[in-house]
Amino acid sequence: MLKVENLNVYYGNIHAIHDVSFEVKEGEIVSLIGANGAGKTTTMHTVSGLLRSRTGSVTFMGKNISHTEAHKIVNMGIAQVPEGRHVFLQMTVEENLQMGAYTTPKTLKEDLEKVYALFPRLLERRKQVAGTLSGGEQQMLAMGRAMMSRPKLILLDEPSMGLAPILVDQVFSIIKELHAAGITVLLVEQNAGKALAISDRAYVLETGRIVLAGTGAELAASPEIKKAYLGG
Amino acid sequence: MTLLIQTLIQGISLGSIYALIALGYTMVYGIAKMLNFAHGDIIMVGAYTIYSTIALAHFPGWLGVLSAVVFCGVLGVVIEFLAYKPLRGAPSLNVLITAIGVSYLLQNIALLIFEGKQKAMPLGDFDFPDLKVGNTGITVTGEVIFTITLTVVLMIALTLFINKTKMGKAMRAVSEDKDAARLMGINVNRTISVTFAIGSILAAFASLCYGMSYAYIKPTTGSMPGIKAFTAAVFGGIGSIPGAMLGGFVIGILEKLSSAYISTQFTDAIVFGVLIVMLVVRPTGLLGKKIREKV
Ligand SMILES: Nc1ncnc2c1ncn2[C@@H]1O[C@H](COP(=O)(O)OP(=O)(O)O)[C@@H](O)[C@H]1O
Ligand SMILES: [Mg+2]
């Protein structure tokens, strides 16, 4: 479904992503794990079209989207829940969800109901400005907003960051629900243990390079991974 | 008392014009994060468009206004496309200098076409009767009533557009978080074009009101109201739409009060002085605000 080949991304002269290649097949949950600054967000942004690669390509459903504008990529079926949530703080919960449906206005009503069914908290607060929500609620809103565009592939960048343990579990169960509903998932997580446990496959990024790849179970069992990312 | 009320009404009328212009500054700042210093000159272009349509081509007044609205709207979009869009992502100083360049360009084009001598605005079709309020001695002139009414109608229309329509909401989303807006599938370039069009259309209406009050135009006509309106936008909190409206009225009233009660010579000094005090006491302006993201 998504194929990234020999991607090189720069910030000015800083070479942030080196020859990164990976693949996400339809129906999979794939994780990218790696320390802070490894290049996970940069990779996600390049897939979404917010950043441009200098060389290499991103192919989605057979189409090269390396030069496609970000707003058109959303239309093709890739949604991203960005790191730090980036909900529209001065807009209401419902307006945020409406923005999520920007490319799919025809199914707005139906999808609002679906999102509210999945996140009853958001229904309670639909008229509230997003800036007044708690961190966990903002994360739910960011995920709900991404679902509104009916994505085929969803990119989740550190969805559990900064959340209390109980909310982290909730985020992971929602990821499983999204996946069960037929959405393919590319997940970036600092919580490597939990990410690997739900992943079909995973890649490990280190300073802009992919250094390891395997199934979720393989990586979770690997001594190097245990030492570097799973605390023991 | 009569003088005070008369002065306040005139202040609201002048403030309406400032507010219409300030909206263009603030919306462009909010969405494109740039100070479009050529915005004031759009009023001048609007005024010459009205002048040309009515006095030179002998069309009726309403058509003069319509052509100014259309021409300014298109001009705003074209300026953004040619001058500012290539600088997207460039340092803000580069954009600012470009905007000043565009301002001089517009003024000099006007000078070339219409020469420096001032022209009378042919607004006979907009000669509305004055209103005498009982036997209080208060008279509200027709152009004041027209200006305030038109401004209120435009403000309501703009507020509805921003809050209720899909494009309006997209503009708010872009002004808050450009990358997040792109991740929603919003075409940021298009929302910027629409913003320039709306700002310039409001400026075209401002040029009508300005022409009704001041009667004469020349190539530098846009500068002073442009600067005052910019002051109003900053005073109200640049980027804030209600801020620009409020700031416009405050600056207009302040200007009229100080020329009625203090001295016409010090008016500008007082207006800019108040701005400076405002920026020291409350740098974000009256209604400017920043909500922090929760972690
Ligand atoms: N806007 C930027 N300008 C310059 N360098 C950046 C920018 N964003 C990220 N980087 C650098 O690129 C590298 C990868 O960052 P990032 O993709 O954010 O990592 P991760 O998401 O894995 O923590 C880091 O070295 C970071 O310092
Ligand atoms: Mg990151």
Side-chain angles (χ1 to χ4, degrees), chain A residues 84 86 89 95 98 102 131, chain B residues 169 172 176-177 293-294:
Chain A
H86 287 269
L89 298 168
E95 284 172 337
Q98 288 168 352
Y102 194 79
Chain B
K169 288 177 193 177
R172 282 160 60 208
E176 203 182 311
D177 192 330
E293 195 147 351
K294 290 207 178 79

Side-chain angles (χ1 to χ4, degrees), chain A residues 11 14 16 35-42 83:
Chain A
Y11 292 103
I14 304 167
N36 244 335
K40 306 179 296 293
T41 299
T42 306
E83 180 181 340

